[in-house]
């Protein structure tokens, strides 16, 4: 934990430095939410279709989900959310003809959450 998933639009593949983003994201989660570095796990999911309003062209989306165990304050979650949005801005280069829509959600993992590391 934390479990991090990043959905991003396919047209951003070359513009999104995912490795650098993940490393910076892990540093931020450790600094802001007091997570352990080795506990940070990020996976990226490329999506092919995006529609914003009535438009299916000219838009790209990056959405970051951060799932953590309970215990963080609302203020800590808000601070982390803002910091992650800044990291998206820093690691996604502009793509001509695309409007970038970025969002972040920090949520608490359900009590049923379990894991194992091998």
């Amino acid at each position: 934990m934390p479990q991090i998933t990043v959905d991003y639009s396919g047209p951003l593949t070359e513009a999104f430095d995912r490795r650098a983003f993940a490393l910076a994201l892990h540093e931020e989660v450790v600094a802001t939410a007091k997570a352990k570095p080795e506990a940070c796990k990020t996976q990226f999911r490329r999506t092919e279709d995006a529609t914003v309003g009535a438009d299916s062209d000219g838009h790209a989306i990056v959405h970051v989900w951060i799932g953590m165990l309970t215990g963080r304050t609302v203020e800590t979650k808000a601070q982390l959310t803002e910091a992650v949005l800044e990291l998206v801005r820093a690691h996604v280069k502009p793509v001509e003809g695309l409007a970038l829509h970025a969002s972040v959600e920090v949520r608490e993992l359900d009590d049923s959450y379990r894991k194992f590391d091998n």
Side-chain angles (χ1 to χ4, degrees):
M1 178 295 321
Q3 298 293 334
I4 304 165
T5 304
V6 182
D7 294 328
Y8 69 97
S9 296
L12 297 175
T13 299
E14 297 300 318
F16 189 7
D17 188 344
R18 294 177 301 282
R19 171 94 172 128
F21 174 78
L23 294 174
L25 175 59
H26 293 178
E27 287 181 15
E28 187 62 45
V29 171
V30 168
T32 304
K34 308 302 183 234
K36 294 180 181 177
E38 63 275 7
C40 296
K41 299 169 189 77
T42 298
Q43 59 183 342
F44 293 88
R45 299 185 299 196
R46 178 180 161 155
T47 61
E48 295 306 320
D49 298 313
T51 301
V52 176
D55 297 330
S56 57
D57 294 320
H59 299 276
I61 298 170
V62 173
H63 182 72
V64 182
W65 306 79
I66 303 173
M68 297 188 300
L69 295 174
T70 60
R72 275 60 179 208
T73 65
V74 172
E75 293 81 10
T76 296
K77 292 176 194 176
Q79 181 182 355
L80 181 58
T81 299
E82 292 300 326
V84 174
L85 282 173
E86 288 301 319
L87 290 174
V88 170
R89 286 183 188 97
H91 290 90
V92 178
K93 296 176 191 168
V95 176
E96 188 174 334
L98 285 181
L100 176 61
H101 304 271
S103 55
V104 179
E105 179 183 354
V106 177
R107 57 186 163 78
E108 293 183 350
L109 295 169
D110 189 80
D111 291 339
S112 66
Y113 174 79
R114 301 290 184 272
K115 70 173 191 138
F116 84 90
D117 294 315
N118 197 358

